[in-house]
Amino acid sequence: ILHAIGHEIRSPLQALSALHPNEDDLEQRYISRMMRAIRALYGETSPADAFGDASINEEIVELSEFLQTITNNAPYSDIGDVAFVSSDSAVVKVDPSALEDVLEHILSNAAGFRDSGTPINLSLQRDGAMAVVRISNTGPRIPLNLLETIFEYGFSSRQQQSSSIGRGQGLFVSRTYLSKMGSTIQARNIEHGVEFEIRIPTFH
């Protein structure tokens, strides 16, 4: 049944891809993300293996502009009140579709656990040869023994399971894709909430 559903979804996506052949189009980025998810979820291997085997197509990206676009588009993914502050610019070599997927997963997670009426803060700074992206919210902290566990495939807290945030896949996908791009992600507790830090090598 899942394979049949995947086939039915894949066909119109391929048609949309043909209608938007320019890889720089925002529409093509979203189509690529959906096609990657379809291959992962309805392929012959487990979703975890499929995401691990997913191909990455890197290109040069001005990260500050990219993050501003992510911020502007966040409301269309039902993620409101995202505040972006950039004290630096950075040029990186990444897969834009994969990085957008990563950021949307983290923003969605931050939105699901933030205190009502508080913003999600997104920032960019340079640290030597690294571009550092931080996403933080105000809300409950993560138990110290779970700061690494949250990135495992299938892990989902009781609060997540009782809501529509996800099924323990988003943070696993985020770390997997970032690793393929030579980048890292970690979570830490801050004074009034949680912060995710992504470190991406700058392109020279």
Side-chain angles (χ1 to χ4, degrees), residues 43-65:
E44 298 299 326
T45 61
S46 70
D49 289 339
F51 284 118
D53 292 339
S55 61
I56 295 294
N57 300 307
E58 295 181 321
E59 57 186 77
I60 306 303
V61 171
E62 205 297 309
L63 192 54
S64 183
E65 295 177 2

Side-chain angles (χ1 to χ4, degrees), residues 2-19:
L2 289 177
H3 287 174
I5 294 172
H7 176 77
E8 291 302 312
I9 297 174
R10 185 183 294 111
S11 295
L13 285 177
Q14 289 173 333
L16 283 172
S17 183
L19 291 172

Side-chain angles (χ1 to χ4, degrees), residues 6 9 24 70-71 115 150 155 157 187 193-194 196:
I9 297 174
D24 295 330
I70 296 296
T71 301
D115 291 341
I150 60 173
F155 174 81
S157 73
V194 173
F196 286 85

Side-chain angles (χ1 to χ4, degrees), residues 13 16-17 20-37 39 57 59-63 65-74 94-104 177:
L13 285 177
L16 283 172
S17 183
H20 300 280
N22 189 343
E23 293 183 357
D24 295 330
D25 288 348
L26 183 61
E27 293 88 347
Q28 183 58 241
R29 285 225 309 268
Y30 283 111
I31 292 168
S32 297
R33 287 176 58 193
M34 288 187 285
M35 290 295 289
R36 181 186 285 117
R39 287 192 295 269
N57 300 307
E59 57 186 77
I60 306 303
V61 171
E62 205 297 309
L63 192 54
E65 295 177 2
F66 185 85
L67 294 174
Q68 185 63 64
T69 299
I70 296 296
T71 301
N72 295 342
N73 290 340
V94 295
D95 182 322
S97 175
L99 183 57
E100 186 170 27
D101 211 5
V102 166
L103 293 168
E104 187 169 304
Y177 285 171

Side-chain angles (χ1 to χ4, degrees), residues 18-204:
L19 291 172
H20 300 280
N22 189 343
E23 293 183 357
D24 295 330
D25 288 348
L26 183 61
E27 293 88 347
Q28 183 58 241
R29 285 225 309 268
Y30 283 111
I31 292 168
S32 297
R33 287 176 58 193
M34 288 187 285
M35 290 295 289
R36 181 186 285 117
I38 290 297
R39 287 192 295 269
L41 295 175
Y42 304 119
E44 298 299 326
T45 61
S46 70
D49 289 339
F51 284 118
D53 292 339
S55 61
I56 295 294
N57 300 307
E58 295 181 321
E59 57 186 77
I60 306 303
V61 171
E62 205 297 309
L63 192 54
S64 183
E65 295 177 2
F66 185 85
L67 294 174
Q68 185 63 64
T69 299
I70 296 296
T71 301
N72 295 342
N73 290 340
Y76 299 113
S77 299
D78 201 26
I79 305 171
D81 202 4
V82 179
F84 173 57
V85 176
S86 175
S87 59
D88 289 298
S89 61
V91 176
V92 295
K93 189 174 183 181
V94 295
D95 182 322
S97 175
L99 183 57
E100 186 170 27
D101 211 5
V102 166
L103 293 168
E104 187 169 304
H105 281 309
I106 300 170
L107 288 171
S108 179
N109 190 81
F113 286 100
R114 66 177 159 181
D115 291 341
S116 179
T118 60
I120 299 171
N121 296 309
L122 172 64
S123 68
L124 168 66
Q125 291 181 308
R126 287 286 297 269
D127 181 12
M130 304 296 290
V132 183
V133 179
R134 295 185 175 93
I135 300 171
S136 62
N137 70 350
T138 299
R141 291 176 158 192
I142 301 172
L144 294 179
N145 64 314
L146 297 181
L147 285 173
E148 280 297 313
T149 306
I150 60 173
F151 293 101
E152 295 178 3
Y153 185 81
F155 174 81
S156 182
S157 73
R158 183 172 301 176
Q159 181 175 349
Q160 284 178 305
Q161 291 173 341
S162 63
S163 69
S164 59
I165 297 173
R167 294 186 175 89
Q169 183 171 287
L171 294 181
F172 169 82
V173 170
S174 297
R175 176 165 280 184
T176 299
Y177 285 171
L178 287 169
S179 177
K180 286 176 173 287
M181 294 183 281
S183 305
T184 62
I185 181 173
Q186 64 177 6
R188 64 170 62 93
N189 291 315
I190 54 177
E191 185 176 0
H192 298 296
V194 173
E195 178 180 87
F196 286 85
E197 180 181 282
I198 298 171
R199 301 180 69 87
I200 306 172
T202 55
F203 181 78
H204 301 285

